[in-house]
Amino acid sequence: MSDETAGNPANMPAGPSVLHPKPSSKSDGVKTKPGSKRRPVDPLKPKQPLSAYVFYSKDAFKQLKGKGTDHQSRVKFLSDGWAALPKEERQKYEEMAEVESERYKREMAAYRQKHLQKTKEPRLSGKTQEAQVPAAEKKIIKSVPMATSRDESGELWSFPAFSAEFLENNRKLEEQHRVLKEKIVLVKEESGQLEAEVRRLNGAVSLLDGETKEREALTAACEAYSKAIKNLIVSEFSSLVIPASGGLPAIQPKADNVMVYCKRLREAFKNGVCPPNFHSYRELFRQTNWEIFFPGVVGRRMVRQFSSASNHYDVVICGGGMVGLAAALAFARDPTTRAQRVVVIEQGKPPKTDPVPNEAPYGLRSVALNPSTVRFLERNGAWEHVHRWGTIRSLQVWESVIADSRITFESDEIARVVENDELIRVMKIALKDGDVEFRYGANLKAVELPRDSSSVAKLTLEGDEITASLVVGADGAKSLVRKAMPNSARSLTWEYDQQAVVANVNFSLDCVENEIGWQRFLKTGPIAYLPLTTSMSNLIWSTTRNHAKDLMKLSDEDFLLAVNDAFVSANDDAMSPLVDSVMKFARQVSVTNPPSVAQLPPRAVSVSKRASFPIAAAHAVNYVAPRGVLIGDAAHRVHPMAGMGVNLGFGDVDCLHRVVGDALGLGGDIGTTASLYPYESERQRKNLTKMLGIDALYRLYRAQFLPIALARGIGLTLTDSLVPVKSWIMDQASRY
Ligand SMILES: Cc1cc2nc3c(=O)[nH]c(=O)nc-3n(C[C@H](O)[C@H](O)[C@H](O)COP(=O)(O)OP(=O)(O)OC[C@H]3O[C@@H](n4cnc5c(N)ncnc54)[C@H](O)[C@@H]3O)c2cc1C
């Protein structure tokens, strides 16, 4: 049976009804032939009137009695006889029929009045129900077989005779309807989602389309420009023989050779290996539009075509702190990016560039720079100007709960400690006049980044407005650029309830070598010395906010007492026999490489003025947006205990100028997210790994629960004896 016919009672197999048994003709007087499809006859209904022919047939039939005629001959005899009947005789039968008809009319009128009204009632209500039934289902209801039944008062009622099959099929039908309705709801939901997805994709496609068109136009323009310049160069070179120099062979002035030579020259220039007579060639290239070999220049020119206004910059660096200046330096020094028009916006005063006299007091803020950062500064011509710094060749890290747990790192050079101001000073010196523009005392009021890279970014300064192809947010922890990014809310922050108290302390005697970085983890947070001179170190004491407040209020004498005590005091908790035996065991298993001998820092005898800074860890979920990118503390902040904060910022800069250079090399737009994503991907991978490691270390050391403290103590003792593990840790700490 098909689905369509399943619910139709007319198609159902006959069978006994359980709920409504078929009424038997004997029990309630309803006359129906078994299996008859005719509606049952009401016995109270008046008999149909007999016709004149029937009355005649009754009389005529008597003449045939006992003659044994068949049905057909009998019918013929009657009809022939009726046809031949004389008029007067026929009249008699017609009068009988008339009386009969009168009787029927009379009885029917009485019957209708008495019975039909009652039997109609259920039908009327049935009609009312029918009116509410949807048209499609009417057919089914109409074809339901009807049954009648008499009530206690003898009244007759009609009702649909539902069979068990009918009800079962109806239930199935309802179930099918329900499933269908659910499916419709699902399909509607899905199609809604699908439509939303299609709308989103259409939006993305149109954006992409815009970017592609822009890129295509730019590439086509670049290609045309390249061709024109190539022709120009070739014609210029045609009368010139370039001699061998700096490992590069002499070349014939053929077009291809010229291009090969220029390519090599560019590579050599990028890698910092200048041929001896490079400068004379550079002049030559200048005259012949040599920019073609440095696509950054071409890219910049193209972007200028789109926005040649004097207030437009290729790159606006917001923030002239350590990381912002490092970015300016990298852009200015890299041959692929140096032709970009760059400006640095800094609300503070311009840094002094005169050398600092030896006797000048040291700044309160210093940073430990790892080897990668030092190399960056050397490569970019800044380190040569650093006037004074300290070197860390050994690191002693221990804690106040488990006395014997200590780890020592030794290396030729673990880090260099430089005052923040000195670092800014030398980078400013390394930036030559005209390399980049500086706007000091300029307060950035608002940053407007476009929804996509089809337009430029707008920056509002006090009394001025500028536009940019790329805004670099180097404006620190409270970055305005980060707030302007479409997903600015998506930034993770860890509050440590910590404050750093910083100062410079002098030691009792001139240490022959003050080259140790000391760090002790106290219950309230780490306290550390970073060496600056043979007799002076920078103190960074990270502690709870309340304790920091108290420390700031102390007199110099009391502060010194507190500092010395924090470094050399006995353990916070007396060693229990259990701790003692566990630590002995740890020392035994690390016997192949005995752990370092415990040392203590020299005693501090005088202290400079103090300053206090809040500590938090934060990380922006996105570093890039159309025409915007975050670097340094604007993108991430870490606890100062690992001395990594600014180093990660230098790592950002190193990666960003490379990525921007690559985009320019391909003739691309430096402000699109497509160009900037490689930066986000590389830096988030590196920064997050280091940040989470530092955070885990901080939490591990804050834990005072004995088992954790013990595990930490054993871990440190064992790690201290494992040279490869220590080398690996040092390697990680030396990179940004
Ligand atoms: C106590 C302490 C010790 C630390 N020790 C170390 C360490 O040993 N090693 C290490 O690697 N890191 C260390 N750090 C972290 C390091 O100091 C920071 O990571 C670093 O200063 C971040 O530099 P930045 O240029 O990104 O941001 P910032 O130094 O905050 O510079 C942001 C600049 O943007 C400017 N600016 C902000 N808003 C505006 C505006 N609206 N308009 C114009 N200009 C604006 C500011 O004036 C500022 O010059 C330490 C941090 C602390 C607190």
Side-chain angles (χ1 to χ4, degrees):
M1 195 184 285
S2 75
D3 282 348
E4 268 178 10
T5 57
N8 189 345
N11 298 312
M12 283 181 215
S17 167
V18 178
L19 292 174
H20 300 276
K22 259 187 184 173
S24 94
S25 53
K26 276 181 186 166
S27 64
D28 55 14
V30 177
K31 289 176 192 165
T32 47
K33 278 186 190 170
S36 164
K37 285 184 184 171
R38 289 173 59 190
R39 288 175 62 185
V41 181
D42 184 356
L44 295 177
K45 198 174 176 184
K47 283 189 178 134
Q48 290 285 332
L50 301 177
S51 63
Y53 180 71
V54 174
F55 280 115
Y56 155 73
S57 301
K58 277 185 176 177
D59 284 350
F61 219 68
K62 290 173 191 162
Q63 296 172 27
L64 292 173
K65 253 191 175 170
K67 289 196 177 158
T69 49
D70 62 10
H71 177 72
Q72 245 180 347
S73 340
R74 267 182 272 156
V75 171
K76 191 169 179 335
F77 169 76
L78 289 176
S79 61
D80 287 349
W82 176 253
L85 203 65
K87 207 175 170 187
E88 319 65 59
E89 277 196 55
R90 190 185 275 233
Q91 177 82 25
K92 180 181 83 179
Y93 291 121
E94 279 170 354
E95 279 170 11
M96 286 164 79
E98 214 170 308
V99 171
E100 181 70 358
S101 168
E102 284 305 317
R103 175 203 59 85
Y104 180 72
K105 278 182 196 162
R106 218 177 31 252
E107 283 180 4
M108 269 314 283
Y111 173 80
R112 276 199 194 101
Q113 206 179 17
K114 196 169 180 185
H115 301 291
L116 282 191
Q117 239 178 6
K118 289 277 166 73
T119 51
K120 265 180 185 170
E121 273 173 43
R123 284 201 186 165
L124 271 177
S125 65
K127 263 187 184 168
T128 326
Q129 280 169 15
E130 226 177 43
Q132 296 162 0
V133 177
E137 286 170 34
K138 253 186 193 170
K139 224 167 122 190
I140 299 169
I141 290 172
K142 269 187 184 166
S143 58
V144 169
M146 298 300 285
T148 53
S149 180
R150 212 174 278 285
D151 67 14
E152 284 161 3
S153 65
E155 308 268 21
L156 192 71
W157 298 81
S158 302
F159 54 87
F162 293 123
S163 67
E165 288 79 3
F166 173 81
L167 292 168
E168 176 58 17
N169 274 300
N170 211 32
R171 197 192 54 71
K172 280 186 191 158
L173 208 67
E174 275 172 12
E175 180 62 18
Q176 282 171 9
H177 273 200
R178 197 185 55 74
V179 172
L180 209 67
K181 272 183 193 164
E182 277 174 6
K183 268 190 191 157
I184 288 170
V185 171
L186 272 182
V187 167
K188 271 189 182 162
E189 264 176 22
E190 274 173 15
S191 68
Q193 282 170 7
L194 217 67
E195 272 171 23
E197 187 66 9
V198 167
R199 273 200 302 278
R200 200 183 63 75
L201 281 177
N202 276 343
V205 166
S206 67
L207 275 182
L208 211 67
D209 228 26
E211 281 201 12
T212 313
K213 277 181 190 150
E214 190 186 320
R215 190 182 292 261
E216 273 171 4
L218 202 68
T219 313
C222 276
E223 273 170 10
Y225 189 72
S226 305
K227 235 181 194 168
I229 294 181
K230 184 178 165 185
N231 290 340
L232 184 73
I233 291 172
V234 171
S235 66
E236 288 278 329
F237 270 85
S238 59
S239 58
L240 206 80
V241 178
I242 301 173
S245 116
L248 297 165
I251 56 159
Q252 293 300 310
K254 275 189 193 163
D256 289 349
N257 283 348
V258 171
M259 300 312 278
V260 168
Y261 184 84
C262 291
K263 252 189 190 167
R264 286 202 203 152
L265 195 59
R266 182 181 164 216
E267 274 310 306
F269 187 47
K270 249 180 110 173
N271 297 331
V273 191
C274 281
N277 52 355
F278 169 76
H279 293 292
S280 52
Y281 288 133
R282 203 170 85 159
E283 273 320 299
L284 179 68
F285 284 136
R286 273 235 167 95
Q287 288 160 18
T288 52
N289 260 327
W290 66 285
E291 288 102 324
I292 186 59
F293 304 108
F294 298 87
V297 181
V298 180
R300 174 187 155 212
R301 291 210 166 166
M302 290 299 117
V303 173
R304 284 272 177 79
Q305 279 181 2
F306 289 101
S307 176
S308 55
S310 62
N311 68 343
H312 181 80
Y313 293 89
D314 300 313
V315 181
V316 174
I317 300 172
C318 300
M322 290 181 283
V323 178
L325 272 188
L329 191 57
F331 277 113
R333 286 266 167 167
D334 184 337
T336 56
T337 54
R338 70 159 47 143
Q340 300 294 295
R341 190 178 178 207
V342 180
V343 65
V344 177
I345 309 288
E346 168 57 46
Q347 64 193 2
K349 288 185 197 150
K352 288 186 182 133
T353 47
D354 305 334
V356 184
N358 272 346
E359 60 283 4
Y362 274 71
L364 294 187
R365 296 278 306 263
S366 295
V367 279
L369 304 178
N370 68 17
S372 287
T373 303
V374 172
R375 271 198 300 278
F376 173 93
L377 293 165
E378 285 172 346
R379 226 175 27 243
N380 287 295
W383 187 261
E384 64 202 60
H385 303 288
V386 177
H387 178 61
R388 51 189 192 182
W389 77 91
T391 307
I392 302 178
R393 297 191 203 281
S394 165
L395 257 181
Q396 298 270 341
V397 182
W398 76 112
E399 59 155 301
S400 63
V401 177
I402 306 294
D404 283 2
S405 65
R406 174 182 288 264
I407 188 160
T408 304
F409 296 98
E410 310 269 347
S411 164
D412 272 356
E413 188 171 288
I414 294 174
R416 292 184 192 175
V417 184
V418 188
E419 298 150 272
N420 291 13
D421 291 347
E422 176 70 351
L423 204 51
I424 288 180
R425 188 184 75 84
V426 297
M427 286 194 281
K428 182 74 175 54
I429 295 172
L431 281 158
K432 305 263 174 335
D433 278 352
D435 274 348
V436 298
E437 276 178 58
F438 284 96
R439 295 202 186 186
Y440 281 106
N443 201 353
L444 184 65
K445 289 281 180 202
V447 181
E448 210 182 294
L449 296 176
R451 232 176 47 86
D452 56 59
S453 40
S454 56
S455 55
V456 289
K458 288 182 192 139
L459 298 103
T460 313
L461 312 173
E462 266 161 1
D464 198 5
E465 202 163 78
I466 57 175
T467 60
S469 301
L470 177 63
V471 178
V472 179
D475 46 347
K478 293 181 182 164
S479 170
L480 260 188
V481 180
R482 189 181 62 232
K483 284 177 194 153
M485 289 176 81
N487 31 28
S488 61
R490 295 170 66 212
S491 167
L492 311 173
T493 311
W494 296 259
E495 284 296 340
Y496 290 123
D497 179 33
Q498 289 258 296
Q499 188 87 8
V501 175
V502 298
N504 292 323
V505 296
N506 288 293
F507 302 121
S508 50
L509 295 169
D510 252 22
C511 319
V512 183
E513 282 172 338
N514 181 18
E515 293 183 331
I516 302 177
W518 305 92
Q519 187 160 47
R520 188 183 195 199
F521 285 87
L522 307 171
K523 270 184 177 175
T524 47
I527 182 167
Y529 279 151
L530 299 179
L532 279 169
T533 69
T534 48
S535 62
M536 184 170 65
S537 283
N538 184 234
L539 165 79
I540 305 160
W541 191 345
S542 309
T543 185
T544 59
R545 288 190 186 127
N546 284 340
H547 188 215
K549 258 188 214 161
D550 294 343
L551 288 174
M552 290 299 288
K553 284 184 209 153
L554 292 179
S555 66
D556 282 358
E557 292 71 33
D558 289 344
F559 183 72
L560 276 172
L561 275 177
V563 170
N564 285 325
D565 192 51
F567 273 111
V568 299
S569 67
N571 300 320
D572 289 341
D573 296 320
M575 289 256 272
S576 71
L578 167 74
V579 173
D580 202 19
S581 58
V582 170
M583 290 313 293
K584 259 186 202 151
F585 172 73
R587 275 194 302 276
Q588 274 165 19
V589 294
S590 58
V591 76
T592 47
N593 233 316
S596 349
V597 183
Q599 292 183 55
L600 287 175
R603 194 168 176 75
V605 290
S606 65
V607 63
S608 67
K609 58 181 182 174
R610 284 155 258 166
S612 168
F613 301 93
I615 294 174
H619 186 260
V621 174
N622 291 100
Y623 287 4
V624 305
R627 307 238 170 263
V629 60
L630 301 175
I631 58 174
D633 274 21
H636 44 74
R637 283 167 81 197
V638 290
H639 196 290
M641 70 181 197
M644 278 311 287
V646 87
N647 290 297
L648 295 181
F650 275 92
D652 295 345
V653 169
D654 202 8
C655 176
L656 180 64
H657 84 88
R658 223 181 330 110
V659 165
V660 168
D662 287 349
L664 289 167
L666 294 169
D669 178 350
I670 59 173
T672 62
T673 41
S675 299
L676 296 168
Y677 274 143
Y679 162 76
E680 181 177 88
S681 148
E682 181 180 325
R683 286 317 293 167
Q684 287 209 336
R685 222 175 36 239
K686 294 194 173 164
N687 291 343
L688 265 175
T689 321
K690 291 213 163 76
M691 284 180 74
L692 294 177
I694 294 168
D695 188 61
L697 203 65
Y698 171 78
R699 286 172 203 285
L700 184 71
Y701 274 107
R702 283 302 301 270
Q704 301 303 318
F705 184 47
L706 188 65
I708 298 180
L710 259 180
R712 173 172 86 203
I714 295 168
L716 278 187
T717 307
L718 290 179
T719 310
D720 194 39
S721 64
L722 296 172
V723 177
V725 176
K726 287 212 297 186
S727 307
W728 179 82
I729 295 173
M730 282 308 293
D731 184 51
Q732 291 298 307
S734 69
R735 297 170 196 218
Y736 44 50

